[in-house]
Amino acid sequence: MYVRRLELVDFRSYERVSLELEPGPNVFVGPNGVGKTNLIEALGYVATLDSHRVATDAPLVRMGAAAAVIRCAVTHEGRELLVELEIVPGKANRARIGRSPARRARDVLGALRMVLFAPEDLELVRGDPAERRRYLDELLVTRQPRYAGVRADYERVVKQRNALLRTSYLARRTGGTRGGDLSTLDVWDAQLARYGAELLAGRLELVTALTPHVAKAYDAVAAGQGAAGIAYRPSFELEPVGGDRAALEAGLAAALTQSRSAEIDRGTTLVGPHRDDLTLTLGPLPAKGYASHGECWSFALALRLAAYDLLRADGIEPVLALDDVFAELDAGRRERLAELVGGAAQLLVTCAVDDDLPVALRGTRYQVERGTVTRVE
């Protein structure tokens, strides 16, 4: 799989730009702040319907414009698919697939498989559990796009359930004797257990498949300096039931019953996949708080490379993007990384200085200046 053409209209710093890309390495070179990452971010948005840099869509639209458009032509096994997304802040995004309108924007998921590693990924190791949950869920949806619907349904139920609990909590705080009406809480519990079990089963199966790839990738990047491991940590006591959806649903329902009193007291949902975490370890110690800066970089990179290897094992090789990565690595890690990714079907790399890029990855080169991208022959 590779992206043959990318066109942006009013996306970030670009009023309009169109460029042809090639299989193999594509290198975007230019000073900091001229828009190199914006190109990678646009493709990442097509792949995940999310930005790795911001939480909302508004910053993606060029100042003064009402909407942004991303168009990309994706080639896979000799067939080309045109994907178009229109980003309208405050409104539902619109999508077209092969020039036909899509019913929902998330219908484009799966058209482009992409793994992106960026400096922000350091938060996968050092940051809050939400960063690691996002990593798992994006990879889960990339492998099986139907989980986008499961994730959306689960988040909707948690939001409604939290609103109910919060209303009751505030009623008590303002002098109510009984608090708000909680008569529908059982209904929301049943839905949360149902969708939560489906999402939890997908995550557990994913972590099982991902674990050996993480260990292998870290060993390769760090040259054998430590053993990396991952483990799923649920927010409630979970029996070893594997991917048994019915057992997971029953376990989550029981956990909700047990935590109800505490949830009513605090006005929020305390158990479920939205409270889970992915534990990262180096040897016997947790990576967070114990790993050095270089080890954190290596672990974050290993998580992305593991995702890339897992997707390749599924039979569709994804596009691999490395955003401003080599400047943060020492010479040894640079060369090892170049060796690991040099055979990618399509590799997108951004860098500010040519000398930071290993010679083996100097393929098709693009000079990026503010608002323009020029292919260098």
Side-chain angles (χ1 to χ4, degrees):
M1 175 179 288
Y2 70 95
V3 178
R4 186 185 64 80
R5 187 178 74 255
L6 171 65
E7 181 180 354
L8 304 178
V9 179
D10 291 328
F11 183 88
R12 287 284 195 179
S13 57
Y14 294 100
E15 182 177 1
R16 181 178 291 272
V17 67
S18 180
L19 61 152
E20 302 289 323
L21 301 174
E22 301 292 338
N26 294 259
V27 182
F28 301 96
V29 182
N32 292 330
V34 297
K36 302 186 301 296
T37 296
N38 297 346
L39 302 170
I40 302 295
E41 181 183 27
L43 289 174
Y45 194 92
V46 173
T48 65
L49 295 183
D50 202 1
S51 165
H52 70 286
R53 303 161 75 190
V54 293
T56 64
D57 288 346
L60 305 181
V61 179
R62 189 174 63 88
M63 186 176 295
V69 175
I70 308 171
R71 296 187 187 95
C72 64
V74 182
T75 298
H76 176 57
E77 295 183 344
R79 302 179 62 183
E80 185 167 286
L81 181 64
L82 181 64
V83 181
E84 178 179 315
L85 280 171
E86 182 182 14
I87 303 170
V88 186
K91 298 182 180 180
N93 295 339
R94 291 190 287 266
R96 297 176 69 89
I97 305 174
R99 303 190 185 280
S100 298
R103 187 166 63 91
R104 301 165 302 190
R106 71 172 185 243
D107 290 342
V108 306
L109 293 171
L112 172 62
R113 288 192 172 195
M114 180 174 173
V115 174
L116 165 62
F117 179 71
E120 290 83 358
D121 282 335
L122 198 60
E123 291 301 300
L124 289 175
V125 183
R126 292 181 169 178
D128 295 333
E131 298 294 332
R132 293 179 285 278
R133 291 194 296 267
R134 176 182 173 184
Y135 163 79
L136 288 178
D137 289 344
E138 287 187 351
L139 179 54
L140 185 61
V141 170
T142 299
R143 294 185 79 200
Q144 301 179 66
R146 73 177 185 86
Y147 274 101
V150 174
R151 186 182 180 190
D153 286 337
Y154 178 76
E155 290 173 353
R156 173 183 56 81
V157 170
V158 171
K159 182 178 180 179
Q160 294 287 350
R161 191 175 187 274
N162 280 342
L164 182 63
L165 290 168
R166 184 67 176 170
T167 299
S168 174
Y169 171 80
L170 291 175
R172 292 194 310 277
R173 288 288 300 271
T174 55
T177 57
R178 296 178 57 189
D181 181 9
L182 294 174
S183 60
T184 61
L185 195 56
D186 286 340
V187 176
W188 292 116
D189 283 5
Q191 291 194 38
L192 190 145
R194 174 188 170 194
Y195 295 123
E198 186 69 20
L199 181 58
L200 182 55
R203 287 183 184 176
L204 290 170
E205 291 166 356
L206 176 61
V207 171
T208 298
L210 194 61
T211 297
H213 292 286
V214 172
K216 179 182 176 182
Y218 186 85
D219 183 68
V221 173
Q225 298 179 11
I230 60 174
Y232 194 80
R233 190 177 71 191
S235 54
F236 63 99
E237 188 172 347
L238 181 63
E239 298 295 333
V241 295
D244 187 330
R245 268 68 169 173
L248 290 172
E249 184 174 346
L252 184 49
L256 288 169
T257 299
Q258 293 172 4
S259 65
R260 175 170 290 193
S261 176
E263 290 181 332
I264 292 174
D265 287 342
R266 295 177 59 178
T268 192
T269 303
L270 299 175
V271 297
H274 67 291
R275 306 278 294 197
D276 295 354
D277 197 2
L278 181 68
T279 301
L280 313 180
T281 55
L282 281 176
L285 298 174
K288 184 176 181 178
Y290 288 88
S292 68
H293 181 73
E295 288 171 333
C296 288
W297 263 101
S298 294
F299 210 134
L301 182 55
L303 288 170
R304 293 302 185 189
L305 292 176
Y308 175 71
D309 286 339
L310 182 60
L311 291 172
R312 291 179 69 189
D314 288 342
I316 301 179
E317 183 165 350
V319 174
L320 179 61
L322 303 176
D323 180 27
D324 198 24
V325 169
F326 289 96
E328 296 286 343
L329 301 177
D330 58 43
R333 283 186 170 89
R334 287 181 190 175
E335 294 303 322
R336 287 192 292 274
L337 178 56
E339 185 176 345
L340 289 170
V341 304
Q346 186 175 51
L347 176 66
L348 309 176
V349 181
T350 69
C351 65
V353 181
D354 276 327
D355 291 343
D356 288 341
L357 191 68
V359 175
L361 299 184
R362 295 183 180 180
T364 306
R365 187 175 179 275
Y366 303 83
Q367 185 67 40
V368 182
E369 299 176 359
R370 192 170 297 277
T372 65
V373 183
T374 306
R375 181 166 174 164
V376 181
E377 301 295 342

